[in-house]
Amino acid sequence: MTSDIRLDNLIWVALTVLFIIVTSTGLGLLARAIARWRGLSEGEQRKLFWGITLAGPWIVGFLIFVVGPALASLFYSFNNYKLGESLEWTGLENYRALIMGIGAHGRRFTQAMYNSFYYALIGVPLQIITALGMALLLNNEIRGIRSFRTIFYLPVILAGGPAILLAWRYMLSANGGFVNVILQKLASSFFLFDWLYRGFIFVMEGFNSFYTGLSRGDPLGPLKFVIPGALAILILITLLGDWSESKRARTWGIIQILALIVLAATLPRGLMAAPIDPIWTVVVGLAFLGFILLSAWQGHEGRVRAFQIAALIVFAITLALTLAAAAPDSGDPAPYLIAAAAAAAPVLLSLFGVWSRRKYTLLGIAFAILALAVFIHVIPGQLDGGRLALIPRYLTFGTTLEQPGDLTYLKETYPAEIMSAIWFFALAVVMLAAIALLGDRYPRARRAVLYISLAFFLLFTAGALVDGVRYFRAFDTIAAETGTPAYHFARFRTATAQFPTQDRVPLWMTSELWTKPSLVLITMWSTGAGMLIFLAALKGVPRSLYEAAEVDGAGRTQKFFKITLPMISPAMFYNIVIGMIAALQTFESIYILRTPDTEDTLASAAFFLFVRTFRQLDIGQGAAASWILVVVIVVLTVIQFRYSNWVNYEA
Amino acid sequence: MKRAFSRLLVLAILLTLLAPVLTVGAQGAQTLEIYITGLGDDQLNWFREVAFPAFQETHPDVTLEILTGGWGDFDATVAGWITTGDGPDIIYLGSEYAATYGPLLANIDPYLEGWDELEQFLPIALDTVTWDGHARGLPLLMSPRPIFFRTDLFANPEAGIPLTFEDALTFVGENTIIENNALVRQGYMALGGGLFDAQEFIADIWTAGGELYYEDGTSAFDSAETAEAMQFTYDRRRLVLPTEDTAGLPPFEGTALASNAVVSGIWAMWQAPATDDPLWDDIAMGPYPAGEKGEPLIQVFIDWLSVPAYVPEAKLPLVVDFLKFIASQDNAIALNNVAGFTPTRQDAWEAIREASPVWARLLDMAVEYGRAFSDIRASAELRPLIAEQMNLYLTDQQSLEDTQRIMKEEYDAILEDAGYIK
């Protein structure tokens, strides 16, 4: 501004102070005006004015330094914005590349999300078990217990620091590291430990190599149908026998969870497809209508409204995208608009009138038509090229009779996208809904549907499993013939080909099969914060409950599961939610422990967005990755709260 | 209450207003901020205690400050400055960064006009600091990275330095010792302590006779030379690690070259023992071995001082004055003594050759075999792509052909996205 730096600083500071005073007072006046408009007394207006004015500097700071950058990053995420270059509006392109796993960055993001889920789904339960175990030990009144508590808590203060993480790297060195030296000593001294140790290596390498192959997005072949199939079988088995109120409630609960999985898997990909896929639109409409009907039937008015609003927002976005860009690419927008209209109409209808028997019937018919459209028209459309023919093959074990050398159908059918498995979750939802609706009004029909469903999933899953094994056996041949990079389960095959020999050691920080377990191990070491919360909760469990249980003849195990666990469930819930969020945001430890060889197998979603933003300077895609991570964290947290009825807050 | 609050508010405002005036009053009229990456305390002290006072003799009103950091947080730090347009006046950059930050750096050609000393710099060094035909800074040092050999550890004392892929494989096989499924001695170690390094892989493509790009600017990852370099890298890995479950070397103190556990490998000079260490009697240097159609070479990394575009034009003459000062012949020799920097100015070499036979050998190697690690396009995205895909290939998870195809397709997409392919 001026040539004198002192004068410049003075002017800037004066302007800043003036800005803060003006904006804070402005906020205060605004609050006062609103209070006057709402008819509050003069005294209340004055209080509000001073309260807001004094909080003004913080509010202004929050708006400028938190809300502002967040909105800016949301805007950047819709642009091709590389540092030093101008912005270019690209709409959902960044999200599409990441969610659909397109190109090198999309593939790496998919892998990073798998890594994050590894830390969350494997790391967090192990942390909870360790923390609870430590808390139970430290809840005993023995001499020096305070010192023990301090020692166990110490890693929380130390962990995360580069020095400690580097010390861990030395301790986990495969050759001569402290951990492996101890393990090898024990293995050479105790015969049984040696077998357990080698078994541990076998299981860990088998599991991690499978997970690594999975995270690289390879087709799993028929094995991908085994997971939903096995889950459906387990669920159906629990419904055998007499029908009861608890079974009915449980069935509807399971239907909601499965439907949520279907929705979570289809919604982002459906919206991201270019052009918008009419099939996905109908599936999404079906899922939303199902949730609305179910919520209305259970009397949750708020939830009905939430699903209606969410559905309408999704359809509005779909319509806008179709009209704006997606449909013209494909030539004719009619199929997309018809699909959107068909899916949106029942949701719109649900907004009007009271929930009478007539309204349920009407919407039920609409649901049935959409479901029929999906299962009769859409699924065959998706399962073309011989995939539909696999269903009777699996049901009749047809594939096992074929010559092992006949790989034609394998090449044509197995490189199918993993989303196909989602259809079997959807199928399970329909079967379960039929069972629940038939209930005890039509017991014979309910039993018939149950047995038929069970038989279907048993045969289908067994057939898929048998063929899946064949698929893995034929892996190299297929890869060699098709030239696709289908070797990603090669590590799984070599890792499980033979039981580890006596000279094998875990290659903790150097092998892609051990880096994620190493990180989980280091995180478990510093789980003292969770332990402290459990310890506080354990102290709050009344002794009278244990005494009453002892009088009734309860043993230690019964007391733990029937009294301790329910009583500390709020602490457990808190630790799970906080642990899950922290796990999904894992960054510092990866940043310090990674090497160029292991970076991809360690990288979390948070690390990915750091690399895209600050190393590769792609601000747009980095911002999109951060918003996807935000949505994933929010959705998982909401789901955890939604299904937290196991938490006993009266404890 | 109201009056007390008003007084308090007035007092706070007055103090806030006075604070910057008092603070600024203690500072000099002009400050030059220099960001230096990855140097130790001794080297930084030389800047603060020797170089800065010398510069201030001719520029008494200038205050000089060093900001320092490591390569680990380098990208995030520099990106932050460039985003906000507010940061140091001079930024230390690595060899391949001209392509990444080029558009964000100032053109200093007008301030270098008529400066005779420019012709003393190696042409490859000047190429490294040039983007879009204009200089964006001045080269500070070069780091030739030959392969070092511990001749006293050779399994076959008569063996010479391998100059072809074939001889290199024989050498690595002979000098690797494995006991109980764990390495005891490693015939070869790549930069970074592993068995693969993306920068070295690029050099292997060059020594196989290939290039990274075709004439139309597309990637040449699908070339026969790339395939030969990949096969060489794979074969060498299998000689050191027969299976992927073989445990690596135990951790050792100090440099790998002095550990007695590694027979050959690539390191920068600051990762090697001091040049007056008697161990150098048993250390030989050689170029990267060549394939059938290529020639051996040594990669030369040029570190340089760049000028960001956000530096006000009025300040540019002062900034370039400092660059000329720090890159002078005297300072080049001094930096060699203090920090082990290899000067990029040829008129500084004579004194260094006389002072140390090790440096003399290194400079001879650089002259005979040197090729600058520059013109690496979209390097920030290329390196993870190579690391990811080569890791899959080297660990038997992906075929050579598939790896070549994926690298080619995806690097082409990156080059197109970054505007290198029209």
Side-chain angles (χ1 to χ4, degrees):
Chain A
M1 265 190 299
T2 67
S3 57
D4 188 342
I5 192 167
R6 280 174 291 190
L7 194 61
D8 267 4
N9 275 11
L10 191 65
I11 293 169
W12 272 113
V13 170
L15 286 174
T16 308
V17 171
L18 193 66
F19 174 78
I20 293 170
I21 292 170
V22 169
T23 47
S24 301
T25 315
L27 280 173
L29 289 171
L30 183 69
R32 189 175 195 162
I34 293 169
R36 192 181 302 133
W37 175 64
R38 295 191 64 181
L40 296 186
S41 68
E42 193 65 31
E44 292 291 327
Q45 287 177 34
R46 200 165 39 247
K47 271 189 204 167
L48 206 60
F49 169 76
W50 281 108
I52 297 291
T53 304
L54 292 175
W58 182 87
I59 296 172
V60 171
F62 179 74
L63 289 174
I64 292 175
F65 297 113
V66 178
V67 178
L71 290 176
S73 85
L74 186 63
F75 174 68
Y76 292 151
S77 72
F78 295 111
N79 285 275
N80 177 12
Y81 176 33
K82 297 192 173 63
L83 206 60
E85 296 175 19
S86 53
L87 286 169
E88 182 195 353
W89 179 265
T90 51
L92 291 170
E93 208 50 52
N94 286 325
Y95 291 95
R96 184 173 294 129
L98 297 177
I99 291 173
M100 308 287 273
I102 298 168
H105 305 308
R107 188 181 60 246
R108 212 162 281 134
F109 179 71
T110 306
Q111 197 177 348
M113 286 304 292
Y114 268 95
N115 293 345
S116 293
F117 284 127
Y118 188 102
Y119 303 136
L121 300 178
I122 294 172
V124 173
L126 287 173
Q127 280 176 47
I128 298 284
I129 291 167
T130 313
L132 183 58
M134 286 199 299
L136 287 168
L137 280 176
L138 296 177
N139 196 32
N140 293 315
E141 289 303 327
I142 55 167
R143 184 181 289 202
I145 192 70
R146 283 166 195 265
S147 307
F148 284 122
R149 283 177 193 155
T150 309
I151 291 166
F152 278 99
Y153 189 74
L154 212 54
V156 179
I157 301 163
L158 298 172
I164 293 294
L165 289 169
L166 291 174
W168 268 103
R169 179 183 271 181
Y170 274 103
M171 287 198 296
L172 291 175
S173 172
N175 188 355
F178 172 75
V179 175
N180 278 4
V181 166
I182 296 287
L183 288 172
Q184 278 179 304
K185 283 266 181 228
L186 288 170
S188 59
S189 307
F190 303 103
F191 170 76
L192 186 60
F193 185 86
D194 181 41
W195 280 97
L196 284 172
Y197 172 53
R198 284 151 67 187
F200 167 72
I201 293 174
F202 183 77
V203 171
M204 289 296 285
E205 293 193 344
F207 175 75
N208 286 297
S209 56
F210 186 79
Y211 195 85
T212 302
L214 202 65
S215 69
R216 291 194 177 129
D218 243 22
L220 270 175
L223 283 180
K224 64 171 162 280
F225 303 118
V226 171
I227 297 165
L231 196 65
I233 291 165
L234 283 176
I235 293 164
L236 291 166
I237 286 172
T238 67
L239 299 180
L240 290 170
D242 292 334
W243 190 249
S244 63
E245 182 54 30
S246 66
K247 274 187 185 172
R248 189 191 66 80
R250 191 169 67 227
T251 310
W252 284 118
I254 291 165
I255 287 171
Q256 284 185 58
I257 294 171
L258 290 182
L260 268 176
I261 292 171
V262 175
L263 193 65
T266 53
L267 187 64
R269 283 172 172 261
L271 279 175
M272 291 303 119
I276 295 285
D277 189 339
I279 294 166
W280 296 117
T281 311
V282 172
V283 173
V284 168
L286 183 72
F288 273 123
L289 186 60
F291 279 118
I292 290 167
L293 277 170
L294 190 60
S295 304
W297 190 42
Q298 292 178 334
H300 299 300
E301 283 181 26
R303 220 180 285 165
V304 172
R305 195 62 68 194
F307 278 120
Q308 284 169 332
I309 292 168
L312 291 176
I313 290 171
V314 169
F315 290 129
I317 294 171
T318 309
L319 196 65
L321 291 174
T322 306
L323 293 174
D329 293 343
S330 68
D332 182 12
Y336 308 97
L337 296 176
I338 291 168
V347 176
L348 278 171
L349 266 178
S350 75
L351 288 168
F352 303 104
V354 291
W355 283 94
S356 61
R357 193 182 182 86
R358 195 174 150 196
K359 186 172 171 178
Y360 275 116
T361 312
L362 197 66
L363 292 178
I365 291 168
F367 184 84
I369 293 170
L370 285 178
L372 275 175
V374 168
F375 281 97
I376 294 172
H377 176 69
V378 177
I379 286 186
Q382 283 286 292
L383 300 181
D384 59 357
R387 258 183 281 171
L388 188 62
L390 283 178
I391 295 174
R393 282 173 106 101
Y394 295 153
L395 292 177
T396 57
F397 291 84
T399 51
T400 56
L401 303 173
E402 299 202 16
Q403 292 296 314
D406 178 16
L407 299 170
T408 315
Y409 78 94
L410 292 173
K411 280 191 291 185
E412 286 174 0
T413 56
Y414 287 164
E417 35 106 27
I418 200 155
M419 293 297 290
S420 300
I422 293 299
W423 293 115
F424 290 91
F425 277 120
L427 195 62
V429 169
V430 174
M431 288 174 172
L432 288 171
I435 291 166
L437 286 170
L438 292 167
D440 49 7
R441 263 195 232 168
Y442 307 100
R444 282 189 180 179
R446 189 198 73 236
R447 276 197 291 273
V449 173
L450 179 62
Y451 293 142
I452 290 168
S453 305
L454 195 55
F456 172 85
F457 277 111
L458 271 171
L459 285 172
F460 186 83
T461 307
L465 191 65
V466 169
D467 216 47
V469 174
R470 271 170 50 87
Y471 175 74
F472 271 87
R473 289 168 69 97
F475 220 90
D476 287 339
T477 321
I478 298 167
E481 285 198 8
T482 58
T484 51
Y487 280 84
H488 295 161
F489 286 101
R491 223 51 223 278
F492 172 70
R493 293 190 60 207
T494 50
T496 52
Q498 65 168 45
F499 197 69
T501 49
Q502 274 189 316
D503 53 11
R504 286 290 314 280
V505 289
L507 305 178
W508 295 104
M509 293 308 305
T510 49
S511 165
E512 62 178 334
L513 307 186
W514 287 94
T515 45
K516 284 193 277 288
S518 302
L519 203 73
V520 168
L521 179 72
I522 294 169
T523 320
M524 279 166 64
W525 175 71
S526 60
T527 189
M531 172 207 70
L532 214 60
I533 289 160
F534 277 131
L535 199 56
L538 285 170
K539 294 281 173 205
V541 181
R543 281 224 49 81
S544 56
L545 292 178
Y546 292 117
E547 286 163 5
E550 280 163 17
V551 169
D552 290 342
R556 287 171 75 97
T557 315
Q558 280 177 308
K559 279 194 287 183
F560 176 73
F561 283 105
K562 301 285 183 187
I563 297 172
T564 309
L565 268 189
M567 294 298 283
I568 63 166
S569 57
M572 176 85 79
F573 181 62
Y574 173 82
N575 276 339
I576 290 173
V577 171
I578 295 298
M580 194 76 85
I581 293 171
L584 287 168
Q585 293 178 328
T586 307
F587 178 80
E588 293 89 345
S589 44
I590 297 169
Y591 187 81
I592 292 166
L593 292 171
R594 79 196 195 284
T595 62
D597 289 348
T598 57
E599 187 169 300
D600 285 332
T601 57
L602 273 173
S604 62
F607 188 80
F608 171 87
L609 74 91
F610 162 78
V611 169
R612 281 303 279 151
T613 309
F614 295 113
R615 268 200 217 153
Q616 301 173 349
L617 309 180
D618 192 330
I619 310 292
Q621 204 167 66
S626 71
W627 280 99
I628 292 171
L629 187 61
V630 166
V631 170
V632 168
I633 289 174
V634 168
V635 167
L636 284 180
T637 309
V638 167
I639 289 172
Q640 287 180 74
F641 273 94
R642 169 71 186 80
Y643 295 100
S644 62
N645 48 3
W646 55 274
V647 182
N648 178 18
Y649 286 108
E650 288 169 16
Chain B
M1 174 71 184
K2 207 173 186 177
R3 183 174 293 175
F5 172 73
S6 306
R7 282 178 185 166
L8 203 65
L9 194 66
V10 170
L11 189 67
I13 292 169
L14 282 175
L15 283 174
T16 320
L17 286 170
L18 284 173
V21 181
L22 297 172
T23 319
V24 170
Q27 294 174 0
Q30 260 195 315
T31 304
L32 265 188
E33 286 184 338
I34 302 131
Y35 180 64
I36 303 262
T37 313
L39 295 189
D41 285 343
D42 286 348
Q43 291 95 319
L44 293 175
N45 283 340
W46 177 85
F47 276 93
R48 290 190 186 106
E49 292 165 13
V50 180
F52 289 175
F55 184 69
Q56 281 164 327
E57 281 175 17
T58 51
H59 299 77
D61 292 339
V62 177
T63 305
L64 293 129
E65 282 178 17
I66 282 191
L67 303 173
T68 187
W71 286 113
D73 52 6
F74 172 82
D75 293 286
T77 310
V78 174
W81 289 327
I82 287 171
T83 314
T84 55
D86 185 18
D89 305 295
I90 293 167
I91 297 177
Y92 186 103
L93 289 180
S95 204
E96 74 274 32
Y97 279 97
T100 308
Y101 290 115
L104 308 166
L105 301 175
N107 169 15
I108 60 166
D109 272 349
Y111 309 96
L112 295 177
E113 270 175 28
W115 189 46
D116 299 338
E117 293 180 38
L118 206 56
E119 62 196 33
Q120 291 297 333
F121 290 86
L122 278 178
I124 54 167
L126 292 177
D127 282 351
T128 303
V129 305
T130 301
W131 184 81
D132 199 22
H134 301 289
R136 308 287 162 167
L138 279 181
L140 184 66
L141 69 115
M142 65 177 191
S143 171
R145 282 188 198 156
I147 299 182
F148 294 98
F149 295 86
R150 281 285 303 272
T151 52
D152 56 328
L153 299 179
F154 279 14
N156 172 13
E158 304 302 315
I161 301 297
L163 293 175
T164 64
F165 283 168
E166 202 179 334
D167 289 348
L169 292 176
T170 309
F171 177 86
V172 173
E174 282 176 354
N175 287 286
T176 297
I177 303 172
I178 298 168
E179 284 174 10
N180 297 322
N181 202 30
L183 279 170
V184 175
R185 182 167 286 172
Q186 198 164 322
Y188 175 79
M189 180 181 272
L191 189 81
L195 276 169
F196 177 76
D197 175 69
Q199 292 172 338
E200 187 203 336
F201 174 62
I202 291 170
D204 288 337
I205 295 174
W206 291 340
T207 60
E211 287 295 330
L212 269 184
Y213 312 100
Y214 291 122
E215 280 184 8
D216 62 0
T218 58
S219 149
F221 276 137
D222 57 347
S223 66
E225 291 81 9
T226 303
E228 192 185 0
M230 287 170 70
Q231 189 63 53
F232 166 66
T233 313
Y234 178 88
D235 292 342
R236 189 176 60 191
R237 184 184 182 91
R238 280 292 154 268
L239 288 167
V240 179
L241 298 176
T243 61
E244 286 301 316
D245 55 39
T246 310
L249 288 174
F252 42 75
E253 297 271 332
T255 67
L257 195 53
S259 68
N260 293 340
V262 185
V263 185
S264 73
I266 298 178
W267 297 278
M269 275 302 277
W270 57 81
Q271 294 169 306
T275 49
D276 56 358
D277 192 314
L279 192 66
W280 280 99
D281 295 338
D282 297 320
I283 296 174
M285 296 178 208
Y288 303 174
E292 283 180 21
K293 289 187 249 169
E295 295 290 332
L297 63 78
I298 286 176
Q299 271 181 328
V300 179
F301 292 81
I302 313 282
D303 285 7
W304 52 296
L305 294 174
S306 69
V307 184
Y310 58 68
V311 174
E313 207 172 328
K315 207 174 181 182
L316 282 179
L318 173 65
V319 171
V320 177
D321 270 359
F322 180 78
L323 291 185
K324 288 176 182 170
F325 163 77
I326 207 74
S328 66
Q329 184 187 19
D330 288 347
N331 281 333
I333 295 167
L335 273 168
N336 175 262
N337 293 330
V338 176
F341 286 5
T342 318
T344 53
R345 302 176 55 118
Q346 297 172 82
D347 59 358
W349 287 2
E350 204 45 50
I352 294 168
R353 279 179 197 277
E354 282 171 16
S356 161
V358 174
W359 283 107
R361 278 156 63 194
L362 193 66
L363 290 173
D364 288 343
M365 297 285 289
V367 169
E368 188 177 352
Y369 295 108
R371 173 165 175 174
F373 187 76
S374 59
D375 189 30
I376 309 296
R377 301 163 200 172
S379 63
E381 286 160 303
L382 173 62
R383 201 185 293 204
L385 176 66
I386 292 178
E388 179 202 31
Q389 292 302 315
M390 283 298 288
N391 186 48
L392 289 175
Y393 166 62
L394 294 173
T395 54
D396 297 318
Q397 299 182 68
Q398 194 164 277
S399 66
L400 187 145
E401 295 75 21
D402 289 335
T403 308
Q404 274 193 287
R405 181 177 53 77
I406 294 169
M407 286 201 296
K408 160 82 178 158
E409 284 173 8
E410 294 190 348
Y411 191 36
D412 277 349
I414 289 168
L415 289 172
E416 196 173 343
D417 189 41
Y420 288 102
I421 305 173
K422 301 292 177 195

